[in-house]
Amino acid sequence: MTFRTRFAPSPTGPLHLGHAYSAILAHDMALKHNGEFLLRIEDIDQSRARPEWEQQIYNDLEWLGLWWPTPVLRQSDRRSAYGDVIQRLWDQNYLFACSCNRRDIMSALAAPQEGAPLHGPDGLIYPGTCNEKGSSSGTYAIPEDAALRLRIIMAGLVAADSFDGTKIQFSETGSGPNQETGRIAFDLDELENCIGDIVLARRDMGTSYHLSVVMDDATQGITHVVRGQDLFEATKIHVVLQRLLGLPTPIYHHHRLIRDDQGKRLAKRDDARAISKYRDDGYTPEDIRKLVGLSG
Ligand code: GLU
């Protein structure tokens, strides 16, 4: 199998050391496997994406010595492809319109089952309030202040059927936050209790991170997804969507996160750790490799 991976930043702020680690690791893995490294710009959130941040991504990655083929795929150019899939899922009744806001969800969760988690990889675990609504036929529309959610169990049943009918699986060559590695298996109960009916399309974006990432990895022929452990649980959503949409499941490699001195994961707002800041302070790309624990 050819090895093709990608780095998929959102142009919503400066890239920091955590991004540098992820991008260099993926690039090194592609070189080692005689494969390809692609760049994808994840700019579906147009309220936060800025052209200057996109340009900064190119500058930073070039400075780090990375190379990728052009043209670069930009998610904002893929709206109609996402819309076609949303329409198909709507027609098949996998989606329902939901206008619950955070407060509605919190109050429905006011008496959660003991021990049940409140948050999953898509935020608060949706309590199913609007799930009983049928989809209307015809062209889908996302109502004002609303979202389309995926009926996770209906989707999970299709996914499970493509394995042994009970467990859904993927291969992990890195590790999850609890050292999960190798063959990762999960079932419908986990989907229901730990993930819930996730948002598949938001009105302001017309899509969602989960749908776009799954469609784009397939369109770009990605065989290996290299990304941070913070996305390990979200991978379960992605595998369900791949099975539902008849798309291949890549091999996943989740890596450790780069943390600050207090042990907190770096965020976009941590400008002090921005790659460009290090460059301005006289650091070399080799210094950055050392800082994130990658040797030359
Ligand atoms: N765009 C995502 C981020 O910047 C990465 C998504 C992915 O690698 O799947 O966190």
Side-chain angles (χ1 to χ4, degrees):
M1 194 204 323
T2 42
F3 183 106
R4 186 183 283 168
T5 190
R6 60 12 174 225
F7 177 58
S10 301
T12 54
L15 296 189
H16 54 56
L17 283 186
H19 296 107
Y21 176 63
S22 199
I24 299 172
L25 182 67
H27 195 265
D28 282 0
M29 285 173 75
L31 279 183
K32 190 173 136 208
H33 290 92
N34 220 354
E36 277 183 286
F37 168 86
L38 306 187
L39 177 63
R40 177 166 79 226
I41 300 294
E42 301 218 322
D43 59 349
I44 48 172
D45 187 352
Q46 285 286 303
S47 67
R48 294 172 61 221
R50 299 272 178 278
E52 53 275 27
W53 290 128
E54 182 176 330
Q55 189 53 52
Q56 185 73 49
I57 289 172
Y58 301 136
N59 298 348
D60 288 345
L61 297 181
E62 262 170 40
W63 177 73
L64 286 172
L66 310 191
W67 184 88
W68 58 93
T70 51
V72 165
L73 187 138
R74 210 188 266 122
Q75 290 190 323
S76 53
D77 293 333
R78 302 251 303 142
R79 290 185 189 288
S80 71
Y82 305 142
D84 289 349
V85 168
I86 295 168
Q87 181 68 55
R88 176 149 57 104
L89 294 177
W90 177 256
D91 292 342
Q92 294 168 341
N93 197 31
Y94 283 109
L95 305 180
F96 61 93
C98 170
S99 47
C100 296
N101 59 28
R102 216 187 135 73
R103 195 174 332 135
D104 300 331
I105 298 179
M106 280 307 278
S107 56
L109 288 172
Q113 275 176 289
E114 209 174 326
L118 266 188
H119 288 91
D122 194 52
L124 283 172
I125 298 172
Y126 186 67
T129 320
C130 300
N131 182 312
E132 296 303 314
K133 288 184 195 166
S135 314
S136 5
S137 49
T139 309
Y140 77 88
I142 311 178
E144 195 84 48
D145 292 328
L148 300 183
R149 288 184 181 271
L150 177 70
R151 298 182 205 279
I152 198 78
I153 290 302
M154 216 174 133
L157 279 167
V158 176
D161 269 350
S162 68
F163 293 96
D164 65 355
T166 59
K167 297 270 192 198
I168 305 162
Q169 300 174 18
F170 66 94
S171 289
E172 171 67 53
T173 60
S175 64
N178 301 309
Q179 280 70 57
E180 304 92 329
T181 192
R183 188 177 298 277
I184 310 295
F186 55 99
D187 59 15
L188 297 178
D189 280 349
E190 184 171 343
L191 285 181
E192 181 167 18
N193 301 322
C194 305
I195 294 180
D197 294 336
I198 54 116
V199 169
L200 202 85
R202 274 173 44 179
R203 183 177 165 104
D204 51 350
M205 294 183 187
T207 177
S208 61
Y209 159 64
H210 303 300
L211 179 66
S212 309
V213 86
V214 158
M215 287 180 59
D216 295 347
D217 283 340
T219 296
Q220 296 194 288
I222 300 301
T223 59
H224 292 72
V225 170
V226 180
R227 62 185 180 191
Q229 277 172 348
D230 52 322
L231 290 168
F232 178 79
E233 291 299 327
T235 304
K236 295 171 184 171
I237 299 172
H238 300 170
V239 177
V240 168
L241 285 172
Q242 284 149 2
R243 296 293 156 153
L244 186 61
L245 300 174
L247 303 174
T249 293
I251 291 170
Y252 285 88
H253 185 97
H254 290 92
H255 59 68
R256 68 185 163 86
L257 301 176
I258 303 292
R259 299 181 184 276
D260 65 14
D261 301 337
Q262 277 80 50
K264 244 181 69 234
R265 175 160 83 90
L266 298 186
K268 284 260 166 73
R269 56 188 174 279
D270 291 322
D271 284 12
R273 311 279 167 153
I275 297 172
S276 52
K277 178 89 173 41
Y278 283 98
R279 182 177 47 197
D280 294 348
D281 287 349
Y283 284 72
T284 65
E286 200 46 46
D287 294 333
I288 302 288
R289 272 186 175 267
K290 286 198 192 115
L291 273 179
V292 298
L294 287 168
S295 53

